[in-house]
Structures are given as structure tokens and as C-alpha cells.
């Protein structure tokens, strides 16, 4: 035992002097977390529980304190899976004296209802354009419309002219449903558009018919982030929308023509009513967030927390006839978790702890809709209001040595300066978002923290390669085209372990900068997200 303690002390002293990332440790983490044994780490499955136990054991090994529930590393989250009974779905459009039954799923789709196992919706229909209310952009699709006790019909997406990131917020389904409910609607129909069809073809959506809807449950056992007032919802194909608008004030072709000109059609009453029926079965599951803390050294600032996050779940088994059915999720997101662990180890090696506390959170159910991070951000295991910044790690592509980093969302707060300073310490630069049209700032776990008013960035390796023979953009696109959400995302991929260590080091320096700077991170003055979500 004595020799063991001496060895541990020597390791700490050596590491504190060198304080560099260990690529062998990162490799070993990634190898285990993406192993077939874990069966794709699906939320609620045993494989994800094994991964969570591994993460907790590593945090404990580094001397970090448990920051989950009941003095453990686990924050247990309860979920409800709602699985649609495919034989129960029935939709009838009534136009005048004629009833038209639409074909499920050829003409429309719906999903499991987490709030009502036997849902029946019946009412008159109102077209509400995009269904967006955005006073900041002088846009209100509900102006002069009465939708009380009616079913709203919305266009999928948002106007092309909307700013990308702000538009992603205004055009989100949750925002659209919220506005519908606030105005008394009882049902919600979304219809395909030419733009949306390019991004998410209706035919592709049929692959997810048997995927359950998942929501986390509050202390009363009720599903969160649902709109039970909208008793039923559905998504119409172009064919179904043509039937609906056939005799309307504007037909679908006229509406689509307006969209091509980036004109927003005004809403109007539809001379139609709808009856939609569906049944769902429920299954209760639970899954943990894993939370650890390194307490800060400053007697005052230690009560503020810089949060590192990375999602620990993946999508489990693939529905395929091929022999390999396990979606191992090596790049998505065993890479992010492995970097998180090595970052935590580096912080544990410091002889002088940072001033602010560092919170490490491996969140569950990202693949189900950012659910684990949403639960944690709304139910933090540290005092509410004490989280001051978030750095999120999701699917860093570690197959080439990068020469820059990208921090999605950095332009919204002074985190941009902090990230730039940290990157310079290892001789790389911060590059701007190369895909602003994709609004990636709103599409990973950091956004759950943003919605609670916490400045955040989503950090990934940049597209500039240190090797002139390697094109970083091609490496990223190759992964997306071949292995993203497929069994091929496993440990056999050609990882660049030098890049993994380099990415960990810039990640570590960002947190160190944020934890030691005089003032806590803050939103830029007049920033939309800061003004919208800060409390």
C-alpha cells in the first residue's frame, strides 16, 4: 500500500509539471467506450449504464468529488417512452359534406403521444403560415387570426431571410407549438415545403415510424416539454397538403411559389375540419447523467462553476440485415467523453486549483433530443444560478491534426476572447463558424445551458490541417457520409491520437482561462440569446 501511495504522488508531481494530455489514456478510454460490449450505449440500456459506471470510476480515481444526487456521481433521470400503435392511426379530413381519409404513413405521419395514450383531436382548421411569432424580426403569423379551439396548420421551417441562429430558435417546433397553445389551439399540423424536403425528405422520415417519443419526467411523474393541449399532431406530405389546400384561399402551388420568393403567406381559415385518432403505449426507463466537481480555490469564486459537458449516449442497435448491427458511437461521442475524462485528469494534476470550480457532466439522452442536458440545466446539482459558462464536446472529428478550432456560439458572448486566448497557448487559432446556415449553435447539449441563460460554446477541431496533404473539410465530410450514425463509427477508424491530445489541451486551457479570469463570462450587450434567456 505504501509503495502504491508513493507511485501516485510521483505521478501527480510529474504530471503537474508537464501538464500535457496523454494520448494513450485518451485512446484507452475511447477503445472501451466504443466497444461492442456496450452495445451502442442506448439511453436506458445496460451498455449505457456500464459506460456511466466507467466514467464515474474515472472521476473518482482522479480525486474529483461526486456532484450527482445523494453524494454520488449519478444524477438519475426518469424517462417515458411513448410508442405509437401503428394500427390505431386514423385521420379524416372533412371538406364541406365530403370526408377524405388520408393514408398513414404514405400521406402523413404522427408519433407516440407522451401525454395521452388514447388521443382524439377534432376541430376546424386554420392556416397560420409558418406559425412564427418573432417581434424582434417584425414577424407575427397569428396577426388577426382566431385559433381558439381550432387546429393550426403550419409550414415547416422558417423564412429564408431570417438570421440562421435566431431563425432556428423562432422556427423550432417547440416555439411554434408554444405560440399555438398560448392562443388556444387544440391540434397542430405541419406541412412539408420545398426547402424542408431538400433537408429532410418525407420518404426518409418513414425510417423512424417505430421510434418511440421520449421525454424526461418531472417530480410529479409528468413528461416535460410537452404540449398536452395539442392533443394530436401530424406532419403532412406534399400530397396530403395538396388535398388540404385544393379549394382554399391559396392552393399549395401558390403557397410554394411565395416561399420561393421568400414571401410569408398570410394565414386564413380553411374550409375544412379534421379528426385524428391515435393510441400509444408507454415504457418507463431511467438513465444517469454523471457529474463530478473539482472545487475551486478562491473562497468566493469557488461558488461559481465552469461546466464541461459531453453526451455519453448513442443510438444502440441498427435496424439492418447486415451482421454488424451495433452503432458503437466512437466518434459520436466516445471521442468527446474521452477528451472530457482526460481534461478532468489534467485539472486534477494541478498543484494550484483554479479559482472557480469546474463541473464535469456526462449527459445522457442527447440522441433523444438533448434530454439529459435539458434535465441537468433545469435541475442542476449545484445552486441555481451558479453555472457561469459551458464548454460542450460533441463528435470532435479526430482523424487529422488540425491547426485551428471552431467554437460554435462564441460570437454571442465574451467566450470568444477566452477561447482565442486559450487556443494561442498551444499555437492554434480560433476560426469562424464555417457553416452558419446550419445553426449548429442550437443543435447540441450546450444549447440546453444557453436556454437557462448561461453563455456556452460548442468546441470542435477546425477544418485547417497542420498537414498540407490533408484536407480537414474532406475528413469531416467523409465521416458524415460513411459512418455517422452507422455501425462503421467504431474503433477501427483511423484516429489521429496526436490530434486527440492537442484537442484535449486546448479544451483544458479554455476551462482554465474561464475559471481564473477576473469576471465571469457574460453575453454581449444586445445579443439575442442573452436578452432572450438571461434571468
Amino acid at each position: 500500500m505504501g509503495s502504491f501511495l508513493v507511485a501516485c504522488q510521483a505521478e501527480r508531481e510529474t504530471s503537474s509539471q508537464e501538464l500535457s494530455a496523454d494520448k494513450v489514456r485518451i485512446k484507452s478510454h475511447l477503445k472501451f467506450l466504443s466497444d461492442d460490449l456496450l452495445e451502442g450505449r442506448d439511453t436506458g440500456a445496460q451498455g449505457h449504464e456500464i459506460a456511466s459506471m466507467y466514467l464515474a470510476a474515472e472521476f473518482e480515481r482522479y480525486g474529483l468529488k461526486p456532484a450527482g444526487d445523494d453524494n454520488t456521481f449519478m444524477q438519475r433521470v426518469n424517462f417515458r417512452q411513448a410508442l405509437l400503435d401503428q394500427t390505431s392511426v386514423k385521420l379524416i379530413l372533412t371538406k364541406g359534406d365530403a370526408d377524405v381519409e388520408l393514408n398513414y404513413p404514405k400521406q402523413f405521419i404522427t408519433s407516440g403521444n407522451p401525454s395521452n395514450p388514447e388521443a382524439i383531436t377534432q376541430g376546424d382548421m386554420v392556416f397560420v403560415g409558418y406559425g412564427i411569432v418573432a417581434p424582434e424580426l417584425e414577424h407575427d403569423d397569428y396577426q388577426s387570426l382566431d385559433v381558439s379551439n381550432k387546429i393550426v396548420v403550419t409550414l415547416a421551417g422558417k423564412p429564408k431571410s431570417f438570421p440562421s441562429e435566431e431563425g432556428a430558435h423562432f422556427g423550432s417546433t417547440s416555439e411554434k407549438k408554444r405560440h399555438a397553445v398560448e392562443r388556444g389551439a387544440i391540434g397542430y399540423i405541419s406541412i412539408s415545403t420545398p426547402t424542408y424536403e431538400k433537408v429532410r425528405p418525407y420518404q426518409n422520415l418513414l425510417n423512424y415510424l417505430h421510434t418511440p417519443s421520449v421525454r424526461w419526467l418531472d417530480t410529479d411523474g409528468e413528461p416535460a416539454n410537452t404540449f398536452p393541449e395539442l392533443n394530436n399532431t401530424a406532419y403532412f406530405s406534399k400530397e396530403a397538403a395538396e388535398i388540404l389546400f385544393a379549394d382554399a384561399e391559396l392552393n399549395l402551388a401558390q403557397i410554394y411559389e411565395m416561399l420561393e420568393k421568400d414571401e410569408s403567406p398570410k394565414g386564413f381559415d380553411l374550409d375544412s375540419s379534421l379528426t385524428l385518432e391515435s393510441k400509444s403505449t408507454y415504457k418507463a426507463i431511467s438513465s444517469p447523467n454523471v457529474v463530478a466537481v473539482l472545487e475551486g480555490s478562491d473562497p468566493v469564486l469557488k461558488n461559481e462553476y465552469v461546466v464541461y459537458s459531453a453526451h455519453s449516449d448513442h443510438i444502440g442497435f441498427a435496424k439492418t440485415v447486415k451482421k454488424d448491427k451495433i452503432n458503437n458511437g466512437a466518434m459520436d461521442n466516445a471521442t468527446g467523453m474521452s477528451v472530457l475524462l482526460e481534461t478532468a485528469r489534467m485539472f486534477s494534476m494541478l498543484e494550484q486549483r483554479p479559482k472557480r470550480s469546474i463541473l464535469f457532466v456526462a449527459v445522457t439522452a442527447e440522441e433523444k433530443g438533448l434530454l439529459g442536458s435539458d434535465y441537468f440545466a433545469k435541475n442542476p446539482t449545484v445552486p441555481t444560478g451558479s453555472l457561469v459558462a459551458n464548454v460542450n464536446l460533441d463528435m470532435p472529428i479526430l482523424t487529422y491534426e488540425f491547426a485551428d478550432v471552431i467554437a460554435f456560439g462564441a460570437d454571442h458572448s465574451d467566450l470568444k476572447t477566452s477561447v482565442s486566448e486559450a487556443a494561442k497557448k498551444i499555437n492554434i487559432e480560433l476560426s469562424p463558424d464555417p457553416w452558419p446556415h446550419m445553426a449548429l449553435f442550437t443543435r447540441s447539449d450546450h444549447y440546453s445551458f444557453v436556454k437557462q441563460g448561461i453563455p456556452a460554446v460548442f468546441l470542435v477541431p477546425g477544418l485547417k490541417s497542420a498537414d498540407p496533404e490533408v484536407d480537414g473539410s474532406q475528413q469531416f465530410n467523409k465521416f458524415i457520409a460513411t459512418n455517422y450514425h452507422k455501425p462503421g463509427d467504431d474503433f477501427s477508424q483511423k484516429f489521429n491520437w496526436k490530434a486527440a491530445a492537442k484537442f484535449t489541451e486546448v479544451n483544458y486551457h479554455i476551462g482554465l482561462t474561464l475559471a481564473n479570469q477576473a469576471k465571469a463570462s457574460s453575453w454581449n450587450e444586445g445579443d439575442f440569446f442573452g436578452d432572450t434567456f438571461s434571468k
Side-chain angles (χ1 to χ4, degrees):
M1 178 65 73
S3 61
F4 173 76
L5 292 175
V6 170
C8 287
Q9 184 177 7
E11 179 186 2
R12 177 176 294 276
E13 289 174 352
T14 301
S15 297
S16 66
Q17 293 168 10
E18 297 175 0
L19 214 59
S20 57
D22 186 340
K23 61 185 179 182
V24 175
R25 292 175 185 268
I26 300 170
K27 181 179 180 180
S28 65
H29 294 321
L30 205 157
K31 185 176 183 180
F32 177 79
L33 291 168
S34 62
D35 192 84
D36 280 357
L37 171 70
L38 275 61
E39 298 181 334
R41 306 188 309 274
D42 198 8
T43 302
Q46 179 173 287
H48 181 262
E49 294 288 334
I50 294 172
S52 299
M53 287 297 295
Y54 179 86
L55 295 167
E58 288 296 300
F59 287 143
E60 187 169 27
R61 188 155 74 98
Y62 306 151
L64 303 183
K65 293 182 179 180
D69 295 327
D70 303 321
N71 199 34
T72 71
F73 287 98
M74 306 295 187
Q75 182 190 43
R76 183 64 56 175
V77 187
N78 295 318
F79 297 94
R80 174 180 293 170
Q81 290 182 336
L83 187 64
L84 180 68
D85 178 352
Q86 300 290 315
T87 65
S88 70
V89 182
K90 186 176 183 180
L91 190 154
I92 296 176
L93 279 178
T94 300
K95 303 176 66 117
D97 296 328
D99 288 345
V100 180
E101 183 170 353
L102 297 185
N103 181 281
Y104 171 84
K106 181 182 177 183
Q107 295 177 313
F108 76 97
I109 55 175
T110 185
S111 57
N113 190 321
S115 302
N116 190 344
E118 296 189 14
I120 301 176
T121 301
Q122 187 171 24
D124 294 333
M125 308 176 77
V126 181
F127 175 57
V128 294
Y130 284 105
I132 290 174
V133 179
E136 295 88 343
L137 301 176
E138 299 181 348
H139 187 107
D140 184 356
D141 283 323
Y142 282 92
Q143 189 173 2
S144 304
L145 293 177
D146 178 11
V147 300
S148 180
N149 294 313
K150 296 179 181 178
I151 298 167
V152 298
V153 178
T154 71
L155 297 164
K158 60 179 178 60
K160 296 177 183 177
S161 59
F162 272 26
S164 178
E165 292 177 343
E166 292 87 341
H169 166 74
F170 288 122
S172 66
T173 300
S174 60
E175 276 296 287
K176 291 185 179 187
K177 287 183 176 180
R178 180 175 69 85
H179 292 304
V181 167
E182 288 175 351
R183 289 156 178 78
I186 59 171
Y188 181 92
I189 304 295
S190 182
I191 64 174
S192 180
T193 67
T195 298
Y196 216 70
E197 191 66 18
K198 292 176 183 176
V199 177
R200 190 173 297 178
Y202 183 85
Q203 195 64 31
N204 289 0
L205 299 179
L206 302 182
N207 296 327
Y208 303 96
L209 290 180
H210 299 279
T211 301
S213 300
V214 184
R215 297 290 186 275
W216 60 263
L217 301 177
D218 62 22
T219 53
D220 296 324
E222 294 300 319
N225 304 323
T226 59
F227 299 90
E229 300 89 345
L230 302 174
N231 205 25
N232 255 321
T233 65
Y235 183 77
F236 277 19
S237 66
K238 178 183 178 182
E239 182 180 352
E242 285 174 336
I243 296 171
L244 175 61
F245 285 92
D247 302 314
E249 187 174 314
L250 292 173
N251 62 37
L252 190 65
Q254 291 171 316
I255 292 173
Y256 280 3
E257 186 178 340
M258 294 180 69
L259 300 187
E260 288 302 310
K261 299 176 183 177
D262 199 27
E263 298 175 359
S264 296
K266 298 292 184 183
F268 52 83
D269 291 336
L270 288 159
D271 187 21
S272 305
S273 62
L274 175 145
T275 302
L276 176 58
E277 303 176 14
S278 68
K279 294 181 180 180
S280 303
T281 56
Y282 294 160
K283 179 182 178 181
I285 63 172
S286 74
S287 187
N289 292 325
V290 185
V291 194
V293 65
L294 178 77
E295 188 176 90
S297 60
D298 186 275
V300 176
L301 294 182
K302 71 178 183 179
N303 297 312
E304 297 179 353
Y305 296 82
V306 174
V307 187
Y308 282 108
S309 60
H311 75 88
S312 53
D313 65 304
H314 195 53
I315 59 175
F317 290 99
K319 295 178 181 178
T320 176
V321 296
K322 296 181 180 179
K323 185 177 180 180
D324 186 2
K325 300 180 185 296
I326 298 176
N327 292 298
N328 301 82
M331 206 80 72
D332 184 16
N333 183 38
T335 52
M337 286 190 292
S338 300
V339 169
L340 182 78
L341 286 175
E342 182 59 4
T343 302
R345 187 192 70 84
M346 291 175 70
F347 271 105
S348 75
M349 292 293 107
L350 281 172
E351 292 179 352
Q352 176 63 46
R353 287 172 294 153
K355 295 177 181 179
R356 291 183 178 83
S357 297
I358 309 288
L359 204 62
F360 300 93
V361 188
V363 296
T364 186
E366 186 272 349
E367 302 288 2
K368 310 300 182 188
L370 315 183
L371 299 186
S373 59
D374 182 67
Y375 182 86
F376 180 84
K378 291 177 178 174
N379 302 275
T381 55
V382 295
T384 301
S386 64
L387 305 178
V388 296
N390 169 242
V391 180
N392 185 52
L393 308 167
D394 188 359
M395 206 175 77
I397 306 300
L398 300 177
T399 57
Y400 62 99
E401 190 178 350
F402 55 92
D404 64 334
V405 290
I406 299 164
F408 298 108
D411 289 335
H412 296 287
S413 70
D414 60 9
L415 282 173
K416 183 174 184 177
T417 300
S418 303
V419 174
S420 296
E421 291 177 357
K424 288 177 183 177
K425 292 178 181 178
I426 62 167
N427 299 315
I428 62 174
E429 60 184 34
L430 174 65
S431 291
D433 180 353
W435 309 293
H437 61 285
M438 296 177 65
L440 293 176
F441 177 57
T442 67
R443 292 171 58 183
S444 190
D445 288 306
H446 59 287
Y447 196 57
S448 296
F449 294 94
V450 169
K451 289 193 291 185
Q452 298 307 308
I454 301 161
V457 289
F458 168 16
L459 187 71
V460 297
L463 301 181
K464 296 178 182 177
S465 174
D467 183 350
E469 300 296 319
V470 176
D471 186 327
S473 181
Q474 285 185 0
Q475 293 287 310
F476 180 87
N477 292 332
K478 179 182 178 182
F479 171 76
I480 296 297
T482 58
N483 291 330
Y484 176 66
H485 279 198
K486 294 183 176 71
D489 181 14
D490 60 17
F491 191 72
S492 69
Q493 296 168 102
K494 294 182 179 180
F495 290 98
N496 185 308
W497 302 112
K498 185 177 180 180
K502 189 176 184 179
F503 185 66
T504 304
E505 288 172 8
V506 69
N507 186 58
Y508 159 78
H509 280 293
I510 290 171
L512 192 62
T513 300
L514 295 173
N516 283 331
Q517 64 191 26
K519 293 183 178 180
S521 304
S522 61
W523 296 97
N524 294 337
E525 185 177 352
D527 181 77
F528 168 77
F529 293 95
D531 291 347
T532 300
F533 296 120
S534 290
K535 295 181 175 66

